[in-house]
Amino acid sequence: MPFRVEPTFAQLLGQTDRALVGMWVCSTSPLVAEICAGSDLDWLLIDAEHSPNGLESILAQLHAIGPKPALVRPPSGDPVLLKQYLDLGVQNLLIPMIDTPEQALAVAQAVAYPPDGIRGVGGALARASRWNRVEDYLSRARETISLFVQIESAEAVRNVEQIAATPGIDGIFIGPSDLAASLGLLGQQDHPDVIAAIETCIAAASKQGTKLGVNAFAPALAQRYLAAGVNFILVGADVQLLAQGSDKLAATYLGEAR
């Protein structure tokens, strides 16, 4: 029986006129991922760059969240690793630390089969094709994948228009933390220079007609970027919510007794 593939995140962005609001899933727990997926948020980001996620835990989380739209961020754009993620059934990738259009093109080629790219062919063995149950998977595999790259350095901001225009890139995502560090403003995501760089990227993406997202946990910054026209945004994280919530419980019930 042919297997229906879910729409990609890029396709979902193209079907709405509002920003899609999501959160990070960093705990590596399928149960936590399932809880987060049960919210009314639009999407999730499963992180493997700064979280201890391996192939097995990512697969378990994909199972747990079901049809909830999810991007997965690998630790790098290594083509061998991307091949494994794609074969695992990851449909939407966010690649960190892309500074140049050449790097963007390299990851675009890594997610496409020849002759357009260099992805290794193992469809019959992989969950991506549901073990050959997805009809004509090899010929239309790229249609089932969306690729986003992360702008998070001063160099990347300088190159943002060319990166956004790179063939095979479905959108860009701004990482304010590393961007602030690159600008010599470590930990100052709300610094005017960081905000100005992000708004430069928003304008450049709009000019190119490229979808753009941003990370913004501070509500005032999130609202500012939403007003500026971002297409998708991350506004919190599972581990952050748990840490803050448990601290609040301790403060409420223990107070000075600690």
Side-chain angles (χ1 to χ4, degrees):
M1 176 184 295
F3 187 93
R4 188 178 77 87
V5 179
E6 296 294 332
T8 69
F9 191 66
Q11 290 166 344
L12 294 175
L13 287 172
Q15 295 169 5
T16 181
D17 57 1
R18 67 168 179 85
L20 299 184
V21 179
M23 67 177 289
W24 297 80
V25 178
C26 304
S27 68
T28 77
S29 165
L31 178 61
V32 172
E34 185 176 12
I35 292 170
C36 295
S39 76
D40 284 335
L41 290 169
D42 295 308
W43 65 288
L44 304 177
L45 176 64
I46 300 171
D47 181 48
E49 183 188 14
H50 293 295
S51 304
N53 264 312
L55 295 175
E56 291 83 358
S57 62
I58 291 170
L59 176 59
Q61 288 168 89
L62 293 175
H63 286 156
I65 66 177
K68 191 78 166 188
L71 270 71
V72 181
R73 183 171 72 171
S76 74
D78 173 24
V80 175
L81 188 61
L82 297 187
K83 173 178 63 177
Q84 290 182 295
Y85 274 50
L86 293 175
D87 284 349
L88 196 66
V90 171
Q91 284 189 259
N92 309 294
L93 286 164
L94 174 63
I95 311 301
M97 295 293 184
I98 297 298
D99 296 324
T100 68
E102 292 78 16
Q103 292 173 344
L105 182 60
V107 294
Q109 292 175 335
V111 304
Y113 286 131
D116 301 311
I118 61 169
R119 179 183 173 188
V121 181
L125 309 176
R127 179 175 179 266
S129 70
R130 296 307 190 273
W131 305 277
N132 274 350
R133 289 175 177 145
V134 175
E135 194 170 1
D136 299 324
Y137 178 78
L138 292 181
S139 63
R140 62 186 190 94
R142 187 61 185 85
E143 301 171 16
T144 71
I145 298 163
S146 62
L147 176 66
F148 296 80
V149 296
Q150 201 157 344
I151 303 290
E152 42 191 339
S153 72
E155 181 183 8
V157 173
R158 290 192 295 270
N159 292 324
V160 64
E161 286 195 26
Q162 297 96 318
I163 293 171
T166 301
I169 299 301
D170 294 299
I172 58 178
F173 184 83
I174 313 300
S177 295
D178 280 303
L179 178 55
S182 175
L183 294 172
L185 299 165
L186 182 65
Q188 300 179 63
Q189 293 94 317
D190 58 352
H191 191 282
D193 290 350
V194 178
I195 294 171
I198 292 171
E199 291 180 338
T200 294
C201 293
I202 294 172
S206 178
K207 178 181 176 181
Q208 294 287 345
T210 302
K211 301 299 185 182
L212 179 138
V214 67
N215 191 57
F217 286 10
L221 283 178
Q223 293 297 339
R224 178 169 182 160
Y225 297 142
L226 287 167
V230 299
N231 305 109
F232 56 111
I233 192 167
L234 291 166
V235 294
D238 56 350
V239 291
Q240 172 216 27
L241 294 172
L242 182 57
Q244 292 178 348
S246 56
D247 284 347
K248 183 177 179 180
L249 285 174
T252 299
Y253 293 102
L254 295 175
E256 297 299 323
R258 290 177 293 163

